[in-house]
């Protein structure tokens, strides 16, 4: 897990850079990579949710949320943060992505 903690910020920058130049598929690939390597990295799941919602793929965003909820419950017996739950609620309600907090 230590290697993942060091990798996550670097990969996150790669996702941001890829998205900034319009390579949204690459950005999603990087975010998925982070989530697979560190299944408790809530920031990666939030970024994926926002990414998919901005692309009009709200169903995919909510599937990512559901996967994180299951993982967090099974591994730690916890719920996602209030911020992530609020984002999921907004996506369910309006089917659009709110501005990043």
């Amino acid at each position: 897990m230590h290697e993942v903690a060091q990798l996550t910020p670097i990969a996150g920058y790669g996702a941001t850079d890829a998205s900034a130049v319009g390579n949204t598929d690459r950005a999603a690939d990087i975010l998925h990579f982070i989530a697979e390597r560190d299944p408790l990295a809530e920031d990666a799941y939030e970024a994926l949710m926002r990414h998919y919602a901005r692309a009009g793929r709200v169903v995919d965003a909510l599937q990512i949320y559901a996967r994180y909820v299951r993982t967090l419950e099974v591994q730690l017996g916890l719920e996602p943060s209030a911020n992530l739950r609020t984002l999921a609620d907004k996506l369910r309600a309006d089917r659009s992505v709110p501005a990043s907090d």
Side-chain angles (χ1 to χ4, degrees), residues 8-87:
T8 300
I10 295 166
Y13 290 128
T16 301
D17 291 346
S19 185
V21 296
N23 192 345
T24 57
D25 289 339
R26 181 68 180 141
D29 289 345
I30 292 168
L31 292 168
H32 276 287
F33 175 83
I34 295 169
E36 288 169 8
R37 297 302 182 276
D38 183 359
L40 301 176
E42 185 167 302
D43 55 340
Y45 285 91
E46 179 180 352
L48 269 169
M49 289 170 65
R50 290 181 183 281
H51 171 81
Y52 283 132
R54 277 196 282 294
R57 296 173 56 186
V58 175
V59 170
D60 291 330
L62 292 171
Q63 288 174 342
I64 292 294
Y65 175 74
R67 185 173 95 191
Y68 180 66
V69 169
R70 283 189 304 275
T71 300
L72 200 56
E73 174 62 32
V74 167
Q75 291 195 15
L76 300 175
L78 298 174
E79 294 182 352
S81 70
N83 286 341
L84 199 63
R85 290 191 315 264
T86 298
L87 173 59

